[in-house]
Amino acid sequence: MEIILISSSLLGGVLLSLIFKPDDILARKLAAAYIWLVLVLIAITWVFYFAGIKDQFISGLLGGIVSSGKYPARILLGYLTTSIFLFVRSGDDFEISKLIRLTLTGVSLATGFSFLIATEGKAANMGEMMAFFKQSGYAVWFLYFIMTAEALGAIGVLLHFKLKTGTLATTGLMLIMIGAMYTHRHNKDPLSDSYAAISQFMTLGIMLFLFYFEREVNSLRLKTEKTSPVAAAVTS
């Protein structure tokens, strides 16, 4: 049921962008709102999982926010990604690169910190994780490898704008999610055990599209700058 809601949220955002196409100002405002929503959800998630809150009411409230907050975030992500695609295809004259950067900032924060939180969760429950990996037929060293790979992938996503590591890190994390889904299927676990991996895989796939758009738009901008009359006058 959860994976259906997540997929529906993304699809809902896609349909909204097709019906209500934003202008450049609205698109940037929505992207900024997406970043703030992601930051709030990250903070609440950290508190919920690692602050050791004993009060059941507060814990339940935070858990509810963490569970339900992902849906408006997915709607915004679907809306913004489809809007970027439409703007790129139509050649609308506005700062598309800025919108791509804002959207990538939001989804990179969401993805990077979710993997860091997951890795910290594994580290806090090493006994259970070792038992699961042994039950699945894996060596203990493989658990440490996966934890390290997830952490490095998360850092690579978060540092994309500095090191341009987003595409490589995202691809690596997608491979890990495929492995996670295969493991649960091999173990004959219920499909619900794979929901987190499926959800992350979808988000990572969207990120690859955004990295592609970013590269194409930047490449087109460089070509335009080189062929502009001003550039031609300077180089002549």
Side-chain angles (χ1 to χ4, degrees), residues 48 68 82 103 136 200 222 226:
F48 175 69
S68 60
T82 307
T103 304
S136 303
Q200 288 286 20
L222 288 175
K226 289 180 181 180

Side-chain angles (χ1 to χ4, degrees), residues 59-76:
S59 179
L61 177 62
L62 294 178
I65 295 174
V66 170
S67 298
S68 60
K70 68 183 73 172
Y71 302 119
R74 295 284 175 148
I75 291 173
L76 278 173

Side-chain angles (χ1 to χ4, degrees), residues 142-174:
F142 190 60
L143 168 60
Y144 291 103
F145 170 79
I146 291 298
M147 291 174 62
T148 302
E150 287 184 346
L152 290 176
I155 293 171
V157 166
L158 292 171
L159 295 181
H160 168 71
F161 294 113
K162 291 290 184 181
L163 304 177
K164 299 303 178 184
T165 51
T167 301
L168 178 61
T170 299
T171 302
L173 292 173
M174 289 183 77

Side-chain angles (χ1 to χ4, degrees), residues 45-57:
T45 302
W46 275 103
V47 172
F48 175 69
Y49 282 110
F50 305 116
I53 297 175
K54 303 298 182 181
D55 188 281
Q56 291 187 351
F57 174 77

Side-chain angles (χ1 to χ4, degrees), residues 4 8 30 96 103 109 128 136 195:
I4 295 176
S8 299
L30 288 174
I96 183 65
T103 304
L109 287 170
E128 294 179 12
S136 303
Y195 283 173

